Amino acid sequence: MTCAETSSFNIPDTKNMALIYYLASHNPIKFQEYQQLLAMWGVTLKPFAPDERIESVETENTYLDNARIKGQTYSTRYPKRLVLADDSGLLLQADPIHLGIHTARELAQFGDATQQNQAILTLLKGKERTFTMTSVLTLMQNGTELGRGIGTLTGEVAFTERGRASAGFDRLLIPEGTKHTLAERPFLLRRPYLHRYRALVALYRERPELLPSHLD
């Protein structure tokens, strides 16, 4: 499990904050996963309403900077809300110049999640199948970063989609040292491998004052 990159910002007084985060993303798969994960810590995750959504342009060259663009865009527009933003990417050892930080943008042309997975399988035909999945998240309020965390997962890409317990890349990714894809595991057995789970653990490990027990 990776360690968090810590923030240089001071932590604002959070005692009166409700345990509600708003996710700076329109991705339903990402929302569902974060919602399940945050519930472990007693945090409720809510989406921004359709008329509250803001299109932010991710123009930076790192996951953290792109996550910050989303977090700052939303948290300055809605300054009383705790905004969780992340940027994630899939890096394939067989083709390191593609995907990565540009994963979502490069795969969007192929259609839905199943079609995107098929594009990855086609790309990897006859090639090395090692991958690294990375998620970098930031928690913000009114443009100030309260904390951030990094989570990674390494392993191999399966030869076909497997499992129905979850969707997206989970149907392709086999964690290192195991035999089953993430989507072949129920949530509680899948959770320890998830890059977003590891990023949240890193966030709370470095910023325990953000945990619900500190907000009573």
Side-chain angles (χ1 to χ4, degrees):
M1 188 174 297
T2 59
C3 296
E5 292 187 358
T6 58
S7 171
S8 60
F9 293 108
N10 292 324
I11 300 297
D13 181 5
T14 58
K15 290 183 180 179
N16 295 320
M17 288 182 182
L19 299 182
I20 298 173
Y21 294 173
Y22 287 81
L23 184 65
S25 174
H26 310 161
N27 184 329
I29 295 176
K30 180 182 293 190
F31 178 84
Q32 182 181 32
E33 185 167 279
Y34 269 126
Q35 188 177 51
Q36 288 180 293
L37 294 172
L38 285 166
M40 296 169 46
W41 288 282
V43 177
T44 298
L45 184 67
K46 292 186 176 182
F48 285 94
D51 61 351
E52 295 176 329
R53 291 178 179 176
I54 308 169
E55 293 299 329
S56 55
V57 181
E58 301 171 25
T59 58
E60 300 301 323
N61 295 315
T62 69
Y63 294 114
L64 177 59
D65 287 339
N66 279 331
R68 281 174 169 166
I69 287 175
K70 290 180 277 191
Q72 289 170 346
T73 299
Y74 274 96
S75 67
T76 54
R77 176 74 66 88
Y78 304 100
K80 294 183 179 181
R81 301 183 188 183
L82 285 169
V83 175
L84 181 69
D86 90 341
D87 195 36
S88 303
L90 175 66
L91 184 64
L92 301 173
Q93 185 170 315
D95 191 7
I97 67 172
H98 291 108
L99 301 183
I101 195 172
H102 304 296
T103 297
R105 294 184 288 281
E106 289 188 4
L107 290 179
Q109 62 181 306
F110 297 105
D112 63 21
T114 298
Q115 292 168 318
Q116 291 178 15
N117 282 349
Q118 187 56 52
I120 292 171
L121 293 174
T122 299
L123 174 66
L124 291 180
K125 189 173 182 179
K127 297 179 181 178
E128 166 65 47
R129 310 189 74 81
T130 302
F131 76 86
T132 299
M133 192 77 199
T134 300
S135 182
V136 179
L137 62 81
T138 177
L139 183 66
M140 290 192 172
Q141 186 185 39
N142 195 18
T144 296
E145 185 173 74
L146 308 183
R148 59 184 186 259
I150 301 172
T152 62
L153 172 68
T154 59
E156 292 192 352
V157 177
F159 287 90
T160 186
E161 281 194 338
R162 288 164 35 191
R164 289 294 181 268
S166 56
F169 296 152
D170 285 6
R171 295 180 178 180
L172 294 181
L173 304 185
I174 304 173
E176 184 176 5
T178 71
K179 297 180 180 180
H180 300 288
T181 68
L182 293 171
E184 291 179 294
R185 308 163 190 265
F187 176 69
L188 291 179
L189 296 181
R190 182 170 71 252
R191 183 181 64 193
Y193 297 105
L194 298 174
H195 55 295
R196 293 182 182 119
Y197 170 75
R198 293 176 175 185
L200 284 169
V201 169
L203 166 69
Y204 290 136
R205 180 172 291 163
E206 293 298 328
R207 290 291 184 265
E209 59 269 45
L210 295 174
L211 285 166
S213 61
H214 291 265
L215 301 177
D216 293 335

